[in-house]
Amino acid sequence: DVKVTQSSRYLVKRTGEKVFLECVQDMDHENMFWYRQDPGLGLRLIYFSYDVKMKEKGDIPEGYSVSREKKERFSLILESASTNQTSMYLCASRKYRPNEKLFFGSGTQLSVL
Amino acid sequence: SQELEQSPQSLIVQEGKNLTINCTSSKTLYGLYWYKQKYGEGLIFLMMLQKGGEEKSHEKITAKLDEKKQQSSLHITASQPSHAGIYLCGADLPRNQGGKLIFGQGTELSVKP
């Protein structure tokens, strides 16, 4: 089975800190995604990577950056965390083929105080 | 931009009752996915639909995609407490938009014993 692993289940940070969220997948997937999930808003796409060193902005990229130096790893970076970035962050991956389903990690609940 | 609208946003049903969740797109759907999420966890893939008029079933859950490929429904027969959670529909954006997958805002289902 495909495994998508997010480095932390819960994270508490202070305003202004630089935060790294790590995601690793073990099935050689080309596509990787970062979403944030907030009540009533569903999943909103932050960034998307279709291959190593390739990235595209999603719907809400402001305040975030990403890094994909290796195929299996996709990192989400909060350069200067703010309280409105308190959220559940979900990483996902899939093969680069039409109509391939996403495999999700368990999520990281980030609280910024 | 394409958007997915789910209805209802929340639903409380008595155990044993049937229910339907809808997902409507502003544009033609190229791949429609249904996921389920247990509270505070990652998403579990349920089904994917591609063709207009397509219908798939798994255990007591049936998903349909209308002929025009702009609306999908998820029907649960004889609901059980194990069906409780958040149901999300997701859709592939057209290939010229880079392989992104967007989601609706989710439907929260509670099943009362």
Side-chain angles (χ1 to χ4, degrees), chain A residues 57-71:
Chain A
K57 293 180 181 179
D59 296 323
I60 51 163
E62 296 79 19
Y64 303 94
S65 62
V66 290
S67 172
R68 184 122 181 249
E69 295 298 317
K70 293 185 178 181
K71 195 173 185 180

Side-chain angles (χ1 to χ4, degrees), chain A residues 9 35 37 48 94 99 102, chain B residues 35 37 40 50 92 98 101:
Chain A
R9 186 72 183 87
Y35 294 90
Q37 184 177 26
F48 160 61
R94 69 173 174 180
N99 305 127
L102 287 182
Chain B
Y35 283 84
Q37 184 182 31
Q50 281 178 255
D92 284 309
L101 199 156

Side-chain angles (χ1 to χ4, degrees), chain B residues 35-106:
Chain B
Y35 283 84
K36 179 188 174 185
Q37 184 182 31
K38 292 269 188 185
Y39 298 103
E41 297 180 10
L43 277 66
I44 299 167
F45 173 76
L46 295 175
M47 277 171 275
M48 193 205 57
L49 305 166
Q50 281 178 255
K51 301 174 185 174
E54 188 174 9
E55 180 175 320
K56 288 186 178 178
S57 294
H58 177 66
E59 297 180 344
K60 294 186 177 180
I61 300 176
T62 300
K64 299 179 185 178
L65 183 61
D66 75 337
E67 289 289 345
K68 291 185 179 180
K69 294 173 62 176
Q70 284 192 269
Q71 185 165 12
S72 178
S73 60
L74 187 81
H75 184 77
I76 299 177
T77 304
S79 58
Q80 300 167 358
S82 61
H83 288 129
I86 300 172
Y87 289 81
L88 293 113
C89 64
D92 284 309
L93 294 184
R95 299 296 283 180
N96 61 5
Q97 293 189 40
K100 297 175 190 174
L101 199 156
I102 62 169
F103 286 87
Q105 75 272 42

